[in-house]
Amino acid sequence: MSIRTTAAVLVGRAVRVAARLRGGGSAIPGAVALRIDPGFLERTIAAIPDGVVAVSGSNGKSTTTNMLAAIVRAHGLAVFTNPSGGNLPQGIASALLSEVSTSGRLKADIAVLEIDEGYGTRLAELLKPKTVLLLNIQIDQLNRYHEPDRVAAMLGRVAAASTDGLVLNREDNFLVDLDAQIPARPGRAVSFFGGLPELVLPAGHGVASADRFGEAAASPGSREAAVQVVALDGARATLAIAPVDDHRDGGANREPVEVVVKLPSRGLHYALDAAGAAAAARSVLGERFRPELVASALDALATVYGRGELLEVEGERIEIIMMKNPASLQLNLDSLESAPEQVFLAVDEGTPDPSWIYDIDFSALDHVDGITGSKAWQFAVRFGYLGIPVGSVDLDVRAALKAFLALPKPASGHKVMILNYEQMMDIRKILGFKELEGGGAS
């Protein structure tokens, strides 16, 4: 037992308790622990028997990590995960603090970890993932990532670090042939997930895959999928899962098993997240994998903060839709079944340059009741150009929220809030939801 590790765990836990009492989430506990014992994260994760499954991509990381962890648990494995979006080293370390012993030992068979794209290469070096699941490469935070090609290169290095399995989205322009772009590794099984063309092609803005310049070895949708979305009905999706009997043909010689799964909310993007989670579980578990456990695991799964979450506030249901980038906003708008009767937006400096809203199709909205946050006027101007009425703009978040909550209950449906990550966390706290969230966002 290392005295330094024990000190890191005890001090980190104390900081974590203080953060919880403050009513918020923080990566500070993990940062403190790593400052005391820089090898804490790497050493603890390396001791997990079945290793690490790393989940990354532009959008859907938190949701898919949550799904995958639940599916693997349903198969009887003890799972360590970072389900709240703590996808940087300090965020993962913060998640560890509540589960390790004071000697730094973790009771887990496998780790299922969301990792940030920007830190992916470094985290892959630290975590040495056996399996990597990549969800998508979409237009993201331009201030961090610049062009999608840069993200593709970063995630290519993460993919190359996988030893046992690589699971890719065949509907994504960059991922459909990523296996051909990275060095081959003996023993690594490559598999894909996707959706029926009848579901993908009619989608209003497709799957929001970023444009790719130059030739590709394969076109989106052309690779054989181990798991495929074959039907979508509101917040329910049907997945066709190829049997696991021979990695050489992916079970193609036998009929797929169809299971109906519950999604966090409406939308093809959530269905593809579920397909990705099922495909990764299939890759990791091999002959132990049971398709029926995918359905039971997802049926019992709680929604991750802000990702299609429904909150009960003073007898009213409020749907929280988080937007991180153009793709997440567009896909969530596309998934609305009708224009919400009451809708509220809050965007602050967590979205440094919201000029991308001029590329968004807002036709799913016929009005906005209120806008707040430091970027409120940028959105109000955009809606003005579009002729979408805005009830009020108030930079005082608490006052704007109070006014929105004071509106009578909608005649049908429920109130909808569209928030960026930072406003989502702040407004949840204001509403009394003070669960701890790790450091990082998806």
Side-chain angles (χ1 to χ4, degrees), residues 25 42 80 97 102 109 162 177 229 254 336 343 404 413-414 419 441:
E42 183 177 9
F80 167 69
L97 289 171
T102 54
D109 299 313
S162 63
D177 66 343
V229 182
R254 288 163 45 201
L336 293 172
V343 61
F404 179 65
H414 48 257
L419 317 171

Side-chain angles (χ1 to χ4, degrees), residues 132 134 154-163 165-166 168 178 182 188:
V132 168
L134 298 182
M154 292 188 291
L155 292 184
R157 291 191 287 272
V158 175
S162 63
T163 58
L166 177 59
L168 302 169
L178 185 65
I182 62 174
R188 178 202 287 147

